[in-house]
Each structure stands twice: as C-alpha cells, then as structure tokens.
Amino acid sequence: MRRQDFYYELPEELIAQDPLEDRSGSRLLVLDRRSGAVSHHVFREITDYLEPGDCLVINDTKVIPARLIGAKEGTGAKIEALLLKRRENDIWEALVRPGKKARIGTKIQFGEGLLMGEVVDIVEEGNRLIQFAYEGIFEEVLDRLGQMPLPPYITHQLEDKNRYQTVYAKHSGSAAAPTAGLHFTSELLKEIKEKGVDIARVTLHVGLGTFRPVKADEITDHHMHSEFYRIEQDAAEKINRAKENGHRVICVGTTSCRTIESAADDSGRLSAGSGWTDIFIYPGYQFKILDCLLTNFHLPESTLIMLVSALAGREQVLAAYEEAVRERYRFFSFGDAMLVW
C-alpha cells in the first residue's frame, strides 16, 4: 500500500488556526463504517451515540510548554529547542534549530540565564541531548519560559495555554496534545458518566513521531518513533468489563487507540502496565479491543489517517473527508471531530 493512496486535497483556509470559544460547540461528522453513511452534528451530541455499559477511553497526558527560545552563549545567535523526552535527571532529548549552531559543547541561555543548557550529545535523526542547569523546580522554570509546541500549520499565537490541553490532562510529558479530547468539557463528561458510560483514563505521552510525515513510498517501510504509555489497573478493568459484557470500547483519539491496542494480548484482554510503543496501525490491521473511534481530521498521507482507514476502510474515509471539505469543516488540531462507529 502506497503513501499516495491516502492523499486528499485540502484548501488551506480550512486549517483551523484558533480553538472555538465553546469546546463542545465543534462540528461532529459521524461515519457509519458498515454502510459508509455520513451525518453531521454538533460535538455535544456525542452522547446520542453512547450507551450505558460502553467504555470511553481518554488519554490524560498533559502537554508541557516544550518550546524554548534561547541564545547561543558567546554569539547571541537565536536557537530554538523543542523538548521531546526526558532521558535522565535534567538531560532532555530535543529537536534543535538551527542544528548547525548546536554542536556538542554548545551552551544556550534561556530567559536571560534563568535556564542554561549544554549540548552533551547528538543522537538519532540529529536530535540533541541537552543538560539543563537552573535554580528551583524545573517544571516551574519551564512553565515560565516555555511556549506550547503548536504544530507548524498553526500560525496564530495561542493566547491561553490551557486551550491546548484537555480538561482532564493530568500527567505531564507530551510534546503535542491528544487533540480529539480538546472537544470535551467537564459538564459533557459529567453527562456521559450520568448516562452510565464508564470513562477509563490511560496515559500516552505524545511525541512528534506521531506526526512525522511518511516519506517512504511503501507505507510498510515507515518506522514509528516510540512513545511511553501507562495503563492503571482500574482502567484495564473498566475496558475488560465492557468487552466481557458485550458493550463497546470507544477511544478518544488515535493515541488512546494505540495505547490499548499495544497493551492487549491476542485474545483482546488488557492488562495494567507501562512501556514503550511504536505500533503502526494501517489497513489490514485487526483491532483487538477498539470498537469505535472519536478523532479529529488528519493531514493527508499521515499515519493518523492510515489508522482511521484501518478501522473504516480507505475509500470510505477519503469519501468522508471529501464531504467534510465540501461542508467546510475545520481541520487538524483545533478543528472539528469525526466519530467512526
């Protein structure tokens, strides 16, 4: 299967640049994967598609303000560092631009010296390992100096950092938001619980690898970066109970989907635990647990649209995307949502 098989035309003006004031006021396209039928709704009507006994799986990762703008010591040259993952203590793997200014031994000053970094190694794909030095608590310093790492297709400045967080974000560690969850409000989640739907929290710290473009012509030649996940016992029990009782497991976002599919055994049973996953889901994949997927609209030729196509079929997904374009839906991170059921 070729990368180009997942291409679609998207007018640039349909790329959402700002979040809506009302999270749950986004539009919701519903795709029936059995018939291919498409219908149009408001996101808060998601409750109409949930039934008592179902289990809604959410990713409670929290985005860190991982984008740091600094100056090279000595020359003052501007250097941007995007923190990807904490390796040990105060050493972070980071994407640094421009890389040619960040050789091993380079020292970078952030926030007029509130945070100092030194490049100590160069690793896979040219990423840098940076040893940080500071006074106080790193997370507090980062919250003061860092910016939210918005995707490059969002050119507007984000006024409120919390709008790139889900209302249930808890465990810090992501370089990008699990954007399907951005549509939920606390009130909507309460309504879902009151309907008798279980909500299972899992954690997957989203890395940039999830959004890395597929460059290989044959999609099977693409390699996913690994991301850390954790599933607690109560979440595993809720998900297993739904399956055992003949109810559905609905994942909020591709990250929740990849988490439970990575941790399931061949019989479709989920165990608590943590680890690293580089699972790549594309057409032909047999889902072990997931029944329905709530997601945003994804970039052409991305691993994310390939995952959605694995569930609903490539032709049906592309037809639904074409209809979304015709209906002027808002696309990508701050855009509208899609339910595949």
Side-chain angles (χ1 to χ4, degrees):
M1 194 166 288
R2 297 178 67 80
R3 181 190 74 236
Q4 295 89 336
D5 294 336
F6 299 89
Y7 180 79
Y8 67 93
E9 292 280 354
L10 179 68
E12 191 172 339
E13 66 268 18
L14 295 185
I15 299 174
Q17 293 295 324
D18 303 288
L20 294 182
E21 187 172 339
D22 175 9
R23 288 177 183 259
S24 62
S26 299
R27 297 169 75 186
L28 175 68
L29 183 149
V30 177
L31 171 62
D32 184 332
R33 60 191 171 102
R34 286 160 290 277
S35 68
V38 166
S39 56
H40 305 283
H41 308 267
V42 178
F43 186 82
R44 65 179 66 91
E45 294 171 0
I46 188 69
T47 53
D48 295 341
Y49 291 89
L50 302 176
E51 300 170 358
D54 285 344
C55 184
L56 190 71
V57 184
I58 59 177
N59 180 7
D60 65 3
T61 188
K62 189 173 186 179
V63 186
I64 60 173
R67 184 169 175 255
L68 289 164
I69 308 296
K72 183 176 179 179
E73 195 171 77
T75 67
K78 178 182 173 182
I79 292 182
E80 178 179 328
L82 181 60
L83 306 186
L84 300 178
K85 63 177 77 166
R86 190 176 222 146
R87 288 295 193 94
E88 53 182 303
N89 300 323
D90 292 316
I91 296 178
W92 284 75
E93 182 177 341
L95 175 65
V96 176
R97 294 192 180 114
K100 63 183 179 181
K101 295 185 186 296
R103 297 183 174 91
I104 293 174
T106 297
K107 293 183 178 179
I108 310 167
Q109 180 176 276
F110 302 96
E112 298 181 347
L114 282 176
L115 182 64
M116 295 296 298
E118 180 177 353
V119 178
V120 296
D121 202 359
I122 300 175
V123 293
E124 185 183 3
E125 296 191 350
N127 292 343
R128 269 54 175 177
L129 295 188
I130 300 178
Q131 170 86 57
F132 287 106
Y134 52 90
E135 289 188 6
I137 299 171
F138 181 79
E139 287 73 17
E140 292 180 358
V141 175
L142 188 63
D143 192 55
R144 181 172 173 182
L145 300 180
Q147 302 173 18
M148 281 300 186
L150 297 178
Y153 49 75
I154 294 177
T155 58
H156 292 189
Q157 190 72 29
L158 183 64
E159 294 181 7
D160 180 359
K161 286 182 181 180
N162 288 327
R163 293 312 309 271
Y164 196 56
Q165 301 279 20
T166 62
V167 297
Y168 46 78
K170 183 177 182 182
H171 301 291
S172 296
S174 274
T179 56
L182 295 178
H183 305 282
F184 286 95
T185 62
S186 298
E187 293 77 17
L188 184 56
L189 288 170
K190 181 182 177 185
E191 186 180 337
I192 288 168
K193 282 183 181 177
E194 289 174 348
K195 191 169 183 176
V197 176
D198 263 337
I199 297 178
R201 289 172 167 259
V202 299
T203 305
L204 182 135
H205 292 321
V206 188
L208 293 187
T210 298
F211 305 98
R212 191 162 62 101
V214 177
K215 296 180 179 177
D217 286 336
E218 289 291 337
I219 67 173
T220 51
D221 293 334
H222 178 74
H223 175 66
M224 297 283 284
H225 283 195
S226 61
E227 297 165 315
F228 180 79
Y229 73 87
R230 183 183 302 280
I231 301 172
E232 301 291 353
Q233 185 63 38
D234 69 318
E237 289 174 356
K238 288 177 180 179
I239 293 166
N240 289 332
R241 182 166 63 241
K243 298 299 285 189
E244 289 164 3
N245 293 335
H247 298 293
R248 300 171 303 167
V249 172
I250 300 107
C251 284
V252 176
T254 57
T255 60
S256 298
C257 165
R258 293 176 64 244
T259 300
I260 65 171
E261 291 293 319
S262 295
D265 63 23
D266 290 338
S267 68
R269 187 165 184 81
L270 195 62
S271 297
S274 63
W276 294 84
T277 178
D278 60 358
I279 189 172
F280 180 16
I281 297 175
Y282 53 87
Y285 179 84
Q286 298 297 312
F287 288 89
K288 301 171 187 174
I289 299 183
L290 175 139
D291 296 297
C292 308
L293 178 67
L294 181 64
T295 187
N296 277 18
F297 292 95
H298 304 295
L299 275 72
E301 299 183 348
S302 64
T303 60
L304 305 178
I305 195 172
M306 293 171 189
L307 185 154
V308 180
S309 298
L311 180 63
R314 182 184 68 88
E315 291 183 0
Q316 287 192 157
V317 168
L318 290 177
Y321 270 54
E322 287 173 7
E323 176 147 349
V325 169
R326 285 194 300 273
E327 295 292 326
R328 311 294 289 175
Y329 273 68
R330 302 165 73 247
F331 277 67
F332 305 161
S333 297
F334 287 140
D336 296 315
M338 176 179 184
L339 174 65
V340 180
W341 73 311

